[in-house]
């Protein structure tokens, strides 16, 4: 399941910013589609102009329009959970603002889940630091319906810390793009000067 909201700190549709000749959200969708996941659900902020059309261009399995993104991540998660088919064994959470996420990380966590039976939660780590993706066994879903606010499933991760399995990615953590400064930093590391210039024009419209 992919949660694709829009940060209040950006003030504009960050997920539509350019990244590798497409948009941030398109990059993430492409990586999910090239992974070994059977299907995916994307929850998007219905109030972001152009976001629905961008997502529809990629043939996403199921799109959930979220009208209350200001209420926090928990609502987005619950809206996505409501669309999960009964036969699904587990669900994986991904973020729409992590364009550095690749199908490789997704597949490594998925493979770990298939190898480790009866593990409630699997989480990727980056040189020991926990990050995304996170995969929850279906037995955890009732707890996910109980979360509140904007901290996501962090309390559940703390609760199951001793029972979880961690899958090491052997690379630096994948950054979230929460601010225009985060975006510029990512683009500078990748040497994408055109995207940096466009981000400056984007900021001037705020």
């Amino acid at each position: 399941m992919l949660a694709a909201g829009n940060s209040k700190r950006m003030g504009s549709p960050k997920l539509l910013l350019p990244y590798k000749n497409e948009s941030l959200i398109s990059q993430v969708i492409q990586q999910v589609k090239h992974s070994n996941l059977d299907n995916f659900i994307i929850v998007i902020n219905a109030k972001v102009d152009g976001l629905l059309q961008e997502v529809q261009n990629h043939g996403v399995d199921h799109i959930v329009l979220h009208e209350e993104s200001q209420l926090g991540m928990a609502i987005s998660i619950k809206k996505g959970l409501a669309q999960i088919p009964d036969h699904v064994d587990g669900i994986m959470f991904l973020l729409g603002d992590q364009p550095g996420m690749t199908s490789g990380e997704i597949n490594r966590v998925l493979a770990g889940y298939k190898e480790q039976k009866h593990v409630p939660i699997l989480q990727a780590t980056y040189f020991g630091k926990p990050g995304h993706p996170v995969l929850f066994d279906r037995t955890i879903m009732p707890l996910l319906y109980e979360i509140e606010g904007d901290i996501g499933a962090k309390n559940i991760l703390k609760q199951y810390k001793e029972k979880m399995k961690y899958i090491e990615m052997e690379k630096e953590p994948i950054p979230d793009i929460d601010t225009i400064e985060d975006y510029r930093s990512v683009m500078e590391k990748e040497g994408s000067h055109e995207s940096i210039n466009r981000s400056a024009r984007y900021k001037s419209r705020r």
Side-chain angles (χ1 to χ4, degrees):
M1 187 171 74
L2 178 61
N6 202 57
S7 173
K8 295 178 181 178
R9 284 174 284 178
M10 300 284 279
S12 296
K14 67 173 179 178
L15 297 180
L16 299 179
L17 282 169
Y19 185 89
K20 294 185 176 180
N21 298 318
E22 50 189 358
S23 65
L24 294 183
I25 189 61
S26 293
Q27 172 68 17
V28 178
I29 290 173
Q30 290 296 338
Q31 292 302 315
V32 174
K33 292 184 69 174
H34 287 119
S35 74
N36 294 329
L37 290 172
D38 293 328
N39 54 64
F40 72 100
I41 296 166
I42 183 167
V43 182
I44 64 171
N45 187 340
K47 299 177 182 179
V48 177
D49 291 339
L51 185 55
L52 175 59
Q53 181 178 354
E54 183 75 5
V55 172
Q56 289 176 326
N57 289 337
H58 297 284
V60 175
D61 297 316
H62 197 89
I63 302 171
V64 179
L65 297 178
H66 187 4
E67 300 280 357
E68 304 170 304
S69 60
Q70 74 280 1
L71 298 180
M73 187 181 296
I75 302 296
S76 296
I77 290 174
K78 292 175 185 179
K79 284 183 175 293
L81 288 173
Q83 305 300 322
I84 301 294
D86 293 337
H87 66 273
V88 169
D89 294 322
I91 54 175
M92 180 180 290
F93 285 103
L94 297 155
L95 301 177
D97 61 0
Q98 283 192 329
M101 179 68 64
T102 73
S103 59
E105 289 81 58
I106 296 170
N107 288 343
R108 290 183 72 171
V109 173
L110 185 60
Y113 178 66
K114 292 180 177 180
E115 293 171 1
Q116 301 289 327
K117 300 299 183 182
H118 309 300
V119 175
I121 304 172
L122 289 89
Q123 183 173 22
T125 58
Y126 298 83
F127 294 140
K129 183 177 180 179
H132 281 82
V134 182
L135 191 152
F136 294 88
D137 184 78
R138 189 175 182 87
T139 57
I140 304 297
M141 283 182 62
L143 297 178
L144 292 170
Y145 276 108
E146 298 176 4
I147 63 176
E148 300 291 342
D150 203 31
I151 62 173
K154 290 182 180 179
N155 288 338
I156 297 176
L157 297 180
K158 290 180 181 179
Q159 180 181 343
Y160 280 83
K161 185 176 181 179
E162 302 302 324
K163 298 179 181 180
M164 293 171 54
K165 179 176 178 60
Y166 297 96
I167 309 295
E168 176 57 47
M169 299 293 111
E170 300 178 346
K171 60 186 289 186
E172 292 294 330
I174 298 172
D176 295 359
I177 297 181
D178 290 326
T179 67
I180 200 66
E181 288 73 23
D182 294 337
Y183 175 74
R184 287 176 174 174
S185 177
V186 169
M187 293 298 100
E188 287 172 356
K189 288 180 180 179
E190 298 184 1
S192 183
H193 300 295
E194 173 59 21
S195 292
I196 294 171
N197 292 336
R198 290 179 67 179
S199 75
R201 295 196 295 270
Y202 158 89
K203 186 174 183 180
S204 68
R205 296 197 301 269
R206 291 178 58 184

